[in-house]
């Protein structure tokens, strides 16, 4: 699964908008939007923060596994 789909699945599972998820990850809305639209990729640190956020918020194991594969 590609990162854009993973991000959309995380938002869907947690019932969040792009703006809400961006705020929770401490990135700008435009940054998250670029990630979801495949115009940019998150840094390694941003991916680690995203993974940590998913674990803390009980995102499904399937999504977490997919996210770990994108490293």
């Amino acid at each position: 699964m590609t990162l854009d789909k993973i991000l959309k699945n995380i938002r869907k599972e947690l019932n969040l908008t792009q703006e809400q998820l961006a705020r929770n990850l401490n990135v700008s809305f435009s940054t998250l939007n670029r990630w979801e639209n495949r115009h940019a990729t998150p840094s390694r640190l941003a991916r680690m923060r995203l993974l940590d956020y998913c674990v803390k918020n009980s995102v499904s194991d399937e999504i977490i596994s997919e996210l770990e594969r994108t490293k």
Side-chain angles (χ1 to χ4, degrees):
M1 187 181 304
T2 58
L3 185 62
D4 60 311
K5 290 183 176 143
I6 292 170
L7 288 166
K8 290 173 187 174
N9 285 335
I10 291 167
R11 289 193 310 103
K12 184 177 178 182
E13 191 169 308
L14 297 176
N15 196 29
L16 297 172
T17 64
Q18 281 185 337
E19 187 173 312
Q20 290 168 322
L21 181 57
R23 192 176 322 118
N24 293 344
L25 296 174
N26 200 28
V27 298
S28 68
F29 166 79
S30 61
T31 295
L32 185 68
N33 185 272
R34 286 193 310 259
W35 294 346
E36 280 198 22
N37 289 306
R38 302 178 88 179
H39 296 293
T41 56
S43 66
R44 185 173 179 188
L45 177 61
R47 287 176 191 242
M48 295 304 290
R49 272 195 254 150
L50 178 59
L51 183 58
D52 185 53
Y53 176 81
C54 289
V55 170
K56 287 180 180 176
N57 288 281
S58 302
V59 171
S60 71
D61 290 339
E62 180 184 342
I63 292 175
I64 290 173
S65 294
E66 289 292 332
L67 184 56
E68 288 175 328
R69 286 186 203 136
T70 66
K71 290 182 185 178

